[in-house]
Amino acid sequence: MAVFRPNHYYCIKDKIYETERFPSSEAAVSIAVLDEPEAVRLKVMTGEQQKLLEAGKAIRFIKYADYEDYLFCTFHIPLQKNIRKEYAELTMLIREKLLVIVVQNEAAAFLLSAFTPRYGGRVLNLERLLAELLESFVQNDLEYLGELEDRITQLEERAMDGEVTNFNHQMVHIRKELLYLHNYYAQFQDLADCFQDSENDFFVENRYFRYLSDKMSRLYGECQMLREYSMQVREFYQAQVDVKQNTIMKFLTGVTTIFLPLTLITGWYGMNFAGMPELNWKFGYPLVILVSVLIILLCIYIFRKKKFF
Amino acid sequence: MAVFRPNHYYCIKDKIYETERFPSSEAAVSIAVLDEPEAVRLKVMTGEQQKLLEAGKAIRFIKYADYEDYLFCTFHIPLQKNIRKEYAELTMLIREKLLVIVVQNEAAAFLLSAFTPRYGGRVLNLERLLAELLESFVQNDLEYLGELEDRITQLEERAMDGEVTNFNHQMVHIRKELLYLHNYYAQFQDLADCFQDSENDFFVENRYFRYLSDKMSRLYGECQMLREYSMQVREFYQAQVDVKQNTIMKFLTGVTTIFLPLTLITGWYGMNFAGMPELNWKFGYPLVILVSVLIILLCIYIFRKKKFF
Amino acid sequence: MAVFRPNHYYCIKDKIYETERFPSSEAAVSIAVLDEPEAVRLKVMTGEQQKLLEAGKAIRFIKYADYEDYLFCTFHIPLQKNIRKEYAELTMLIREKLLVIVVQNEAAAFLLSAFTPRYGGRVLNLERLLAELLESFVQNDLEYLGELEDRITQLEERAMDGEVTNFNHQMVHIRKELLYLHNYYAQFQDLADCFQDSENDFFVENRYFRYLSDKMSRLYGECQMLREYSMQVREFYQAQVDVKQNTIMKFLTGVTTIFLPLTLITGWYGMNFAGMPELNWKFGYPLVILVSVLIILLCIYIFRKKKFF
Amino acid sequence: MAVFRPNHYYCIKDKIYETERFPSSEAAVSIAVLDEPEAVRLKVMTGEQQKLLEAGKAIRFIKYADYEDYLFCTFHIPLQKNIRKEYAELTMLIREKLLVIVVQNEAAAFLLSAFTPRYGGRVLNLERLLAELLESFVQNDLEYLGELEDRITQLEERAMDGEVTNFNHQMVHIRKELLYLHNYYAQFQDLADCFQDSENDFFVENRYFRYLSDKMSRLYGECQMLREYSMQVREFYQAQVDVKQNTIMKFLTGVTTIFLPLTLITGWYGMNFAGMPELNWKFGYPLVILVSVLIILLCIYIFRKKKFF
Amino acid sequence: MAVFRPNHYYCIKDKIYETERFPSSEAAVSIAVLDEPEAVRLKVMTGEQQKLLEAGKAIRFIKYADYEDYLFCTFHIPLQKNIRKEYAELTMLIREKLLVIVVQNEAAAFLLSAFTPRYGGRVLNLERLLAELLESFVQNDLEYLGELEDRITQLEERAMDGEVTNFNHQMVHIRKELLYLHNYYAQFQDLADCFQDSENDFFVENRYFRYLSDKMSRLYGECQMLREYSMQVREFYQAQVDVKQNTIMKFLTGVTTIFLPLTLITGWYGMNFAGMPELNWKFGYPLVILVSVLIILLCIYIFRKKKFF
Ligand SMILES: [Mg+2]
Ligand SMILES: [Mg+2]
Ligand SMILES: [Mg+2]
Ligand SMILES: [Mg+2]
Ligand SMILES: [Mg+2]
Ligand SMILES: [Mg+2]
Ligand SMILES: [Mg+2]
Ligand SMILES: [Mg+2]
Ligand SMILES: [Mg+2]
Ligand SMILES: [Mg+2]
Ligand SMILES: [Mg+2]
Ligand SMILES: [Mg+2]
Ligand SMILES: [Mg+2]
Ligand SMILES: [Mg+2]
Ligand SMILES: [Mg+2]
Ligand SMILES: [Mg+2]
Ligand SMILES: [Mg+2]
Ligand SMILES: [Mg+2]
Ligand SMILES: [Mg+2]
Ligand SMILES: [Mg+2]
Ligand SMILES: [Mg+2]
Ligand SMILES: [Mg+2]
Ligand SMILES: [Mg+2]
Ligand SMILES: [Mg+2]
Ligand SMILES: [Mg+2]
Ligand SMILES: [Mg+2]
Ligand SMILES: [Mg+2]
Ligand SMILES: [Mg+2]
Ligand SMILES: [Mg+2]
Ligand SMILES: [Mg+2]
Ligand SMILES: [Mg+2]
């Protein structure tokens, strides 16, 4: 069971149970999932923590602080497909045998409700629940990165076929997403490392956070590789644009080179000088035709040799 | 209370109080906020410290030295909005139970007067006051970085719509600011790390400086991300300039390719040769019209196929 | 002997032997090479390991997890020559005195069957077998990198001779392969380092994994060098494209500069004004010829001086 | 006092004194400032040290070797303003209670004579003297870097105003200087770190070398920032060159697009066909004038829409 | 003495002596310099070492392996001036009190024969001999790097004077050499570090390898600096090509802009309309001359203002 809903309480005793009271009277770990007004009403946070909650609203992705008697983390989880448009915003306050999750928008409520801990025979504890919860925040990210890779590959293939419109627009979008994801995973890995190395006594089994950190490291590395891939595709396209320009220039030069001499000749015999014997010479006109054809052939020969066409 | 004013004295006993004398007779930490002439008059600094004060006037942002019996830090805090135009210049001399702040210009006096320590129930001590004071120096920086991001995003959007004037001028300004801020935060983080790791006995609770270092690290990271973002936008614009050039070249080539052959034909039949039978042929003129139209159609067909227009 | 075949069992006692049962009753290390259905049927994996097996199907190259009582590694080994088209997919589960290899596709079965451990007089143990097996996965890679280098060198030489078609297409393929290989070796080295540093008791002689890690490091370095080399060749080609464009531009400018003035002159004396004394002047036509020749000579002189041709 | 002159001897006893003999008989630290012939004549160096002295003549900036019983450092100090043209060349041999400075050219003699130790009340010892001497080698460097920054800023401003001649030439000079300085400071910092970490017993108070290392680190960082700044300015200029080229292309295309159609029309009615009714039509000429004007207006309209001018 | 010749034996007892037998019966360190057939015949290598020898033939520069009871290093030393054309290939097997050098080609024999250890009064031991031998492999490299720097500087100067042919070809050669040298020194430094840190008991005085490592580090740094310098020169040339292109474009645009309007005018009055009063007007022809001159003057004025010429 255990779908985390706002303003419901839970406790962990090997497994996870919903409870009525908070904190639950027993020796178990208590969990409160609260929305912001309820968190304020219940006074679960000290004044200082309240200020941290406010300060957290300005962050980009993830911020954590490791205080002596509590851990405080703020999350702005980018929701895939339309990254940077919608974030699930939530805050976690961790104390000895206590986890308070403040749900700060609809998206966060939805994200929490989609989470179920997987405990295959093992005993559940706070660190394991937390690691699984945090991992659930990025559970579809590898797929999403795969989609981004497909989009880059498509751009690459279309650039190879020479039929790209809006290449630069599409590429700048992809690279922006990758830049932001790259920072997001770096910050998430820092958080996992902080949980793993924290000197407080809330967590016993640090290895769950090590696996989380490894996961983030893999996502970060994947992201980094896609950034380099996108860079290479961009450079390929740019190089193609340059090559294309040379082709256009060659065409222009070719057309100009063929027609200007011919036009000069026709202009020449269009002059109105009185004494131009060629004009009245019997073979004048046929010779001009011949010369014109020769010029065209010469140009074509030169272009072939210079690999213009 | 506690607005730090030049040439006033304060002491810390759990809270902060203004005092008449300096150092205050009690066992408390004494603070003197002095302007430069007053600092000289009171002889709060040794000859060597005086030299450090002078030497500090040439620095860019932040310099610190960790001597055996004192810490000496010089700050040139860039004031946002018009970065690199105005700096708050101040120097701190820290000894056992003593903090001397030398205010070196108006901006520094204003910066200090805007500071109030937030102590929510906790006891105040020197390290906490210092950390909060230093943090106050960058309190609006995240917002300012946000404004820079907005400016880059605007440039990006306008570049996408193709209506950019002075893109390069605006971008070079933004990137210069980011370059300087990037160095400023790096130096500030080094200072925080130095305070945290200092082996002297002035500070007991190092963790306040750790939080400060984390804050600087976040600002540094944000700044780094904006630098990469600005780089990507710049590259996008540059790529668009290249694509635009190809478009112009195609247009030029197209115009040239259509008109040069037609001009040749007209030149041809403008020649004054005596024996040009076409000129007097009945269908000469209509045929030239036809050929011209065919040439235009052929060109258009070729351009379509070569995706010129 | 010891060709690893799917659904056969082996054990290591100084040397490697094929056995009937799994695990072999003796105190030896047992090895099972299984295909996926057989692995499921025999229940060699716990539920959690089964989930790891599934999760591993989405990875790019290599994933490993170092649990308390077992090591779990998934391999997608790119098969050379047609990199990124075909992968040998297999998974290893390592427990105390136990190695289970799950063969997940035909290519993996082939890869395993091609492996023979080289033990020149030394005693075989699990770590040595593993290191040799993993090394066999990259045994032809140095040659393959050599082929990639040859391809880059060929592109370079052809670019130097100026006879490159599809340079960018070929280069983008090579760089993509190098990018992926670069990641592959990095991940493989991480695995080797993990095996070397693992705190479990499965492995005694870590140095075999150190040699493996050194091998991966060399492949990684080689790959990195080829990436830099390919970058330099790409930049050389790009620079040549730019130089070529200048050459074309110079040619176009030269042709235009020679013909436009001449065409103007011929147009001039093609005007039909009544009072143009030159037209009837005796030396009019010869002078125009002279002037035309002078213009051509002047242009050629200017082009020589400006190094146009 | 204490102006170091070639072929004079000094000793340190709290302060620095000039002496007649070398090494001075007392328990003080002895210093010899020698030119090369004198160093050879006095046999202050062993055969191996003599070889090191020779080998040092090929270095770029700084080389040091930390032997068991002596330290050996060679310095080629670039003299500012005309960097890479003139170097002060000197070598230091440090043994227990002994410092031999071999002055290898005029510039080095001048550099040494310009040095005075600043000891504000403190006691002088070998490490302090050395640190101050080495620091004096870079005492004007921050100012010089400031001048370089001003030169980059000037280039930037002139590039913004569009009135740059020889931008690339000036920039390549500045970047070369920064590249060399960047290496120089890196090597100097390595030397300072070596002195700080040296395991020999010549130095007691390592912190003087720490301050020296910090100073080098600041110079290195400043240099690095200027390199990035110069890169940004260079990229800005390059981008402006591209934008400028587009402007020129647009102008060329515009001129061509307006004149070619008009020229075609005039050519058309310059043909000598017998049956061209327009030529004799009453409104023929006025209509051609009208059409020409319409074409010009149409072109201007299109150019406005396409943002050509 | 001690010129190492193939198939001769040596021993080290404070100094180095040639001996008849191998290993020499005494307690000294034995050295054998062998060619490959002799090494096989004498069975100095185990089967595993023989395999390493074979495997070493595929490496690029340097490979080493640090086994428990022996060190095995393969060297492909690039011979300068024609780098990448000829390599001295040799292999070293180091055991307790034993050094076997297998000379694998002529170049290696020559390289060894050119080596003489410099021991100025000190006692010779294996580590010192090895360090000096390895150092002799790179003894002319600093000079060679100096020559490369001169070649880059020459390219730079010629690019500044604008008289470069084949700049890109020459630059790509230099950069390739630097890329390979950069890798070579990195691998050589790794070897020196490995020798220094090796945990076996063959070497007592590690510092000789530290000096070797420092030497490699200096060569690597020098190489890195030349790479950056070559990059800057390449960028300068590229920027000049761009500036040059703008100049050509301006020239083309200028020529076109002057001649097209004039050509239009001449075409205009070359039309054969019956009713063109200007043609018969007394001032028609002079006025056209005047207008043409005005157009030329106007163009020149515009070009001056737009800084075209
Ligand atoms: Mg980043
Ligand atoms: Mg990270
Ligand atoms: Mg990676
Ligand atoms: Mg990478
Ligand atoms: Mg690019
Ligand atoms: Mg920095
Ligand atoms: Mg930092
Ligand atoms: Mg970052
Ligand atoms: Mg940048
Ligand atoms: Mg990027
Ligand atoms: Mg790695
Ligand atoms: Mg490498
Ligand atoms: Mg490299
Ligand atoms: Mg790359
Ligand atoms: Mg490079
Ligand atoms: Mg780079
Ligand atoms: Mg490039
Ligand atoms: Mg460097
Ligand atoms: Mg350094
Ligand atoms: Mg820096
Ligand atoms: Mg930086
Ligand atoms: Mg870079
Ligand atoms: Mg650029
Ligand atoms: Mg390297
Ligand atoms: Mg290295
Ligand atoms: Mg360097
Ligand atoms: Mg650079
Ligand atoms: Mg660099
Ligand atoms: Mg770079
Ligand atoms: Mg880079
Ligand atoms: Mg460039």
Side-chain angles (χ1 to χ4, degrees), chain A residues 48 51 67, chain B residues 12 14-15 115 117-136 202-209 211-212:
Chain A
E48 209 161 22
K51 275 174 196 161
Y67 290 91
Chain B
I12 305 179
D14 294 358
K15 284 191 165 25
F115 166 69
R118 306 161 297 161
Y119 36 106
R122 299 212 184 190
V123 155
L124 195 68
N125 52 22
L126 179 57
E127 45 272 42
R128 200 169 158 203
L129 178 84
L130 254 180
E132 285 197 10
L133 179 56
L134 295 182
E135 206 180 320
S136 80
F202 318 150
F203 307 135
V204 181
E205 292 181 282
N206 284 342
R207 68 195 162 93
Y208 292 121
F209 298 120
Y211 304 145
L212 183 68

Side-chain angles (χ1 to χ4, degrees), chain C residues 137-156:
Chain C
F137 292 170
V138 296
Q139 68 186 344
N140 300 317
D141 284 34
L142 209 55
E143 272 172 52
Y144 182 65
L145 288 174
E147 284 169 37
L148 283 179
E149 187 177 11
D150 290 346
R151 283 167 62 190
I152 304 171
T153 306
Q154 264 175 38
L155 275 180
E156 186 187 24

Side-chain angles (χ1 to χ4, degrees), chain C residues 4-23:
Chain C
F4 283 135
R5 274 172 300 162
N7 302 326
H8 284 70
Y9 310 120
Y10 306 86
C11 73
I12 304 179
K13 274 183 310 189
D14 294 359
K15 288 195 164 14
I16 190 162
Y17 303 96
E18 190 164 347
T19 58
E20 287 300 305
R21 296 169 41 213
F22 174 79

Side-chain angles (χ1 to χ4, degrees), chain D residues 1 3 5-6 15 17 41 145 149 161 249 290:
Chain D
M1 60 120 279
V3 171
R5 274 172 300 162
K15 284 190 166 24
Y17 302 97
R41 206 180 59 78
L145 289 173
E149 187 177 10
D161 298 347
M249 291 295 305
L290 186 67

Side-chain angles (χ1 to χ4, degrees), chain A residues 186 189-190 220:
Chain A
Q189 188 181 354
D190 282 349
Y220 181 89

Side-chain angles (χ1 to χ4, degrees), chain A residues 198-216:
Chain A
S198 179
E199 286 163 11
N200 61 49
D201 306 320
F202 317 152
F203 307 136
V204 181
E205 292 180 282
N206 284 341
R207 67 195 161 94
Y208 292 121
F209 298 121
R210 182 150 55 86
Y211 305 145
L212 183 69
S213 173
D214 285 350
K215 169 125 202 166
M216 291 309 155

Side-chain angles (χ1 to χ4, degrees), chain D residues 78-96:
Chain D
L79 297 179
Q80 311 303 2
K81 304 301 179 215
N82 49 353
I83 216 162
R84 308 201 62 228
K85 293 281 167 48
E86 200 185 1
Y87 292 86
E89 301 186 10
L90 53 87
T91 296
M92 289 186 189
L93 167 65
I94 302 161
R95 290 217 313 265
E96 180 105 52

